[in-house]
PDB file of all heavy atoms in Angstrom:
ATOM      1  N   THR D  11     132.880  58.796 -52.611  1.00 98.00           N
ATOM      2  CA  THR D  11     133.635  59.574 -53.599  1.00 98.00           C
ATOM      3  C   THR D  11     134.730  58.759 -54.287  1.00 98.00           C
ATOM      4  O   THR D  11     135.399  59.249 -55.186  1.00 98.00           O
ATOM      5  CB  THR D  11     134.279  60.817 -52.944  1.00 98.00           C
ATOM      6  OG1 THR D  11     135.119  60.356 -51.871  1.00 98.00           O
ATOM      7  CG2 THR D  11     133.254  61.773 -52.412  1.00 98.00           C
ATOM      8  N   GLY D  12     134.928  57.503 -53.847  1.00 98.00           N
ATOM      9  CA  GLY D  12     135.957  56.660 -54.448  1.00 98.00           C
ATOM     10  C   GLY D  12     135.450  55.933 -55.687  1.00 98.00           C
ATOM     11  O   GLY D  12     134.296  56.089 -56.103  1.00 98.00           O
ATOM     12  N   ASP D  14     134.752  52.654 -56.243  1.00 98.00           N
ATOM     13  CA  ASP D  14     133.633  51.729 -56.021  1.00 98.00           C
ATOM     14  C   ASP D  14     132.389  52.463 -55.550  1.00 98.00           C
ATOM     15  O   ASP D  14     131.270  52.129 -55.952  1.00 98.00           O
ATOM     16  CB  ASP D  14     134.015  50.684 -54.968  1.00 98.00           C
ATOM     17  CG  ASP D  14     135.071  49.718 -55.452  1.00 98.00           C
ATOM     18  OD1 ASP D  14     135.592  49.909 -56.572  1.00 98.00           O
ATOM     19  OD2 ASP D  14     135.372  48.753 -54.721  1.00 98.00           O
ATOM     20  N   ARG D  34     134.326  63.044 -46.827  1.00 97.00           N
ATOM     21  CA  ARG D  34     135.196  63.727 -45.868  1.00 97.00           C
ATOM     22  C   ARG D  34     135.508  65.129 -46.376  1.00 97.00           C
ATOM     23  O   ARG D  34     135.637  65.360 -47.586  1.00 97.00           O
ATOM     24  CB  ARG D  34     136.473  62.946 -45.599  1.00 97.00           C
ATOM     25  CG  ARG D  34     137.343  62.691 -46.783  1.00 97.00           C
ATOM     26  CD  ARG D  34     138.627  62.026 -46.331  1.00 97.00           C
ATOM     27  NE  ARG D  34     139.385  61.540 -47.468  1.00 97.00           N
ATOM     28  CZ  ARG D  34     140.633  61.166 -47.421  1.00 97.00           C
ATOM     29  NH1 ARG D  34     141.275  61.208 -46.273  1.00 97.00           N
ATOM     30  NH2 ARG D  34     141.256  60.735 -48.493  1.00 97.00           N
ATOM     31  N   ASP D  64     133.825  61.458 -41.269  1.00 98.00           N
ATOM     32  CA  ASP D  64     135.168  60.884 -41.423  1.00 98.00           C
ATOM     33  C   ASP D  64     135.204  59.627 -40.552  1.00 98.00           C
ATOM     34  O   ASP D  64     134.675  59.633 -39.421  1.00 98.00           O
ATOM     35  CB  ASP D  64     136.215  61.909 -40.936  1.00 98.00           C
ATOM     36  CG  ASP D  64     137.610  61.563 -41.414  1.00 98.00           C
ATOM     37  OD1 ASP D  64     138.130  60.491 -40.988  1.00 98.00           O
ATOM     38  OD2 ASP D  64     138.195  62.335 -42.170  1.00 98.00           O
ATOM     39  N   LEU D  86     132.863  51.323 -47.545  1.00 99.00           N
ATOM     40  CA  LEU D  86     133.897  51.309 -48.590  1.00 99.00           C
ATOM     41  C   LEU D  86     135.048  52.258 -48.272  1.00 99.00           C
ATOM     42  O   LEU D  86     136.081  52.214 -48.938  1.00 99.00           O
ATOM     43  CB  LEU D  86     133.280  51.703 -49.941  1.00 99.00           C
ATOM     44  CG  LEU D  86     132.032  50.943 -50.390  1.00 99.00           C
ATOM     45  CD1 LEU D  86     131.650  51.370 -51.804  1.00 99.00           C
ATOM     46  CD2 LEU D  86     132.249  49.448 -50.327  1.00 99.00           C
ATOM     47  N   SER D  90     143.300  53.238 -48.867  1.00 98.00           N
ATOM     48  CA  SER D  90     143.218  52.003 -49.657  1.00 98.00           C
ATOM     49  C   SER D  90     144.499  51.683 -50.430  1.00 98.00           C
ATOM     50  O   SER D  90     144.524  50.722 -51.182  1.00 98.00           O
ATOM     51  CB  SER D  90     142.054  52.108 -50.644  1.00 98.00           C
ATOM     52  OG  SER D  90     142.347  53.078 -51.639  1.00 98.00           O
ATOM     53  N   TYR D 154     148.274  47.869 -44.572  1.00 98.00           N
ATOM     54  CA  TYR D 154     146.919  47.913 -45.129  1.00 98.00           C
ATOM     55  C   TYR D 154     146.216  46.580 -44.927  1.00 98.00           C
ATOM     56  O   TYR D 154     145.082  46.514 -44.450  1.00 98.00           O
ATOM     57  CB  TYR D 154     146.987  48.266 -46.614  1.00 98.00           C
ATOM     58  CG  TYR D 154     145.683  48.031 -47.370  1.00 98.00           C
ATOM     59  CD1 TYR D 154     144.660  48.966 -47.342  1.00 98.00           C
ATOM     60  CD2 TYR D 154     145.484  46.865 -48.109  1.00 98.00           C
ATOM     61  CE1 TYR D 154     143.473  48.753 -48.029  1.00 98.00           C
ATOM     62  CE2 TYR D 154     144.308  46.642 -48.797  1.00 98.00           C
ATOM     63  CZ  TYR D 154     143.305  47.595 -48.759  1.00 98.00           C
ATOM     64  OH  TYR D 154     142.130  47.358 -49.448  1.00 98.00           O
ATOM     65  N   LYS D 158     142.921  45.583 -42.749  1.00 99.00           N
ATOM     66  CA  LYS D 158     141.732  44.940 -43.330  1.00 99.00           C
ATOM     67  C   LYS D 158     141.423  43.628 -42.623  1.00 99.00           C
ATOM     68  O   LYS D 158     140.267  43.222 -42.539  1.00 99.00           O
ATOM     69  CB  LYS D 158     141.942  44.699 -44.838  1.00 99.00           C
ATOM     70  CG  LYS D 158     141.795  45.942 -45.700  1.00 99.00           C
ATOM     71  CD  LYS D 158     140.351  46.390 -45.842  1.00 99.00           C
ATOM     72  CE  LYS D 158     140.190  47.584 -46.769  1.00 99.00           C
ATOM     73  NZ  LYS D 158     138.817  48.129 -46.813  1.00 99.00           N
ATOM     74  N   HIS D 184     139.947  45.308 -58.599  1.00 98.00           N
ATOM     75  CA  HIS D 184     138.991  45.676 -59.646  1.00 98.00           C
ATOM     76  C   HIS D 184     139.230  47.128 -60.030  1.00 98.00           C
ATOM     77  O   HIS D 184     139.499  47.982 -59.196  1.00 98.00           O
ATOM     78  CB  HIS D 184     137.546  45.404 -59.221  1.00 98.00           C
ATOM     79  CG  HIS D 184     137.241  45.844 -57.838  1.00 98.00           C
ATOM     80  ND1 HIS D 184     137.568  45.118 -56.715  1.00 98.00           N
ATOM     81  CD2 HIS D 184     136.638  46.962 -57.384  1.00 98.00           C
ATOM     82  CE1 HIS D 184     137.188  45.759 -55.642  1.00 98.00           C
ATOM     83  NE2 HIS D 184     136.620  46.893 -56.013  1.00 98.00           N
TER      84      HIS D 184
HETATM   85  P1  LIG J   1     139.294  54.465 -53.335  1.00 73.87           P
HETATM   86  O1  LIG J   1     138.977  54.851 -54.726  1.00 73.87           O
HETATM   87  O2  LIG J   1     140.643  54.726 -52.777  1.00 73.87           O
HETATM   88  O3  LIG J   1     138.190  55.152 -52.384  1.00 73.87           O
HETATM   89  C1  LIG J   1     138.356  55.217 -51.000  1.00 73.87           C
HETATM   90  C2  LIG J   1     137.250  56.068 -50.426  1.00 73.87           C
HETATM   91  O4  LIG J   1     137.461  56.194 -48.994  1.00 73.87           O
HETATM   92  C3  LIG J   1     137.241  57.525 -50.964  1.00 73.87           C
HETATM   93  O5  LIG J   1     135.899  57.936 -51.077  1.00 73.87           O
HETATM   94  C4  LIG J   1     137.948  58.295 -49.860  1.00 73.87           C
HETATM   95  O6  LIG J   1     137.612  59.674 -49.838  1.00 73.87           O
HETATM   96  C5  LIG J   1     137.371  57.583 -48.661  1.00 73.87           C
HETATM   97  N1  LIG J   1     138.121  57.835 -47.432  1.00 73.87           N
HETATM   98  C6  LIG J   1     139.459  57.728 -47.247  1.00 73.87           C
HETATM   99  N2  LIG J   1     139.784  58.061 -45.984  1.00 73.87           N
HETATM  100  C7  LIG J   1     138.630  58.388 -45.352  1.00 73.87           C
HETATM  101  C8  LIG J   1     138.308  58.831 -44.068  1.00 73.87           C
HETATM  102  N3  LIG J   1     139.255  59.026 -43.129  1.00 73.87           N
HETATM  103  N4  LIG J   1     137.009  59.059 -43.744  1.00 73.87           N
HETATM  104  C9  LIG J   1     136.046  58.905 -44.691  1.00 73.87           C
HETATM  105  N5  LIG J   1     136.287  58.508 -45.950  1.00 73.87           N
HETATM  106  C10 LIG J   1     137.571  58.258 -46.276  1.00 73.87           C
HETATM  107  O7  LIG J   1     139.029  52.889 -53.125  1.00 73.87           O
HETATM  108  P2  LIG J   1     138.139  51.884 -54.019  1.00 73.87           P
HETATM  109  O8  LIG J   1     139.019  51.273 -55.043  1.00 73.87           O
HETATM  110  O9  LIG J   1     136.857  52.526 -54.398  1.00 73.87           O
HETATM  111  O10 LIG J   1     137.863  50.737 -52.943  1.00 73.87           O
HETATM  112  C11 LIG J   1     136.733  50.804 -52.058  1.00 73.87           C
HETATM  113  C12 LIG J   1     137.022  49.934 -50.837  1.00 73.87           C
HETATM  114  O11 LIG J   1     137.275  48.591 -51.252  1.00 73.87           O
HETATM  115  C13 LIG J   1     138.238  50.349 -50.037  1.00 73.87           C
HETATM  116  O12 LIG J   1     137.959  50.064 -48.682  1.00 73.87           O
HETATM  117  C14 LIG J   1     139.349  49.422 -50.536  1.00 73.87           C
HETATM  118  O13 LIG J   1     140.332  49.252 -49.553  1.00 73.87           O
HETATM  119  C15 LIG J   1     138.542  48.157 -50.778  1.00 73.87           C
HETATM  120  N6  LIG J   1     139.057  47.265 -51.823  1.00 73.87           N
HETATM  121  C16 LIG J   1     139.343  47.768 -53.068  1.00 73.87           C
HETATM  122  C17 LIG J   1     139.762  46.904 -54.059  1.00 73.87           C
HETATM  123  C18 LIG J   1     140.083  47.414 -55.447  1.00 73.87           C
HETATM  124  O14 LIG J   1     140.758  46.682 -56.185  1.00 73.87           O
HETATM  125  N7  LIG J   1     139.595  48.583 -55.851  1.00 73.87           N
HETATM  126  C19 LIG J   1     139.882  45.515 -53.800  1.00 73.87           C
HETATM  127  C20 LIG J   1     139.561  45.054 -52.519  1.00 73.87           C
HETATM  128  C21 LIG J   1     139.133  45.927 -51.543  1.00 73.87           C
HETATM  129  P3  LIG J   1     138.381  60.737 -50.803  1.00 73.87           P
HETATM  130  O15 LIG J   1     137.705  60.626 -52.148  1.00 73.87           O
HETATM  131  O16 LIG J   1     138.152  62.027 -50.118  1.00 73.87           O
HETATM  132  O17 LIG J   1     139.832  60.311 -50.867  1.00 73.87           O
END
Side-chain angles (χ1 to χ4, degrees):
T11 57
D14 291 6
R34 60 175 169 166
D64 196 296
L86 308 186
S90 69
Y154 167 82
K158 284 286 183 186
H184 45 279

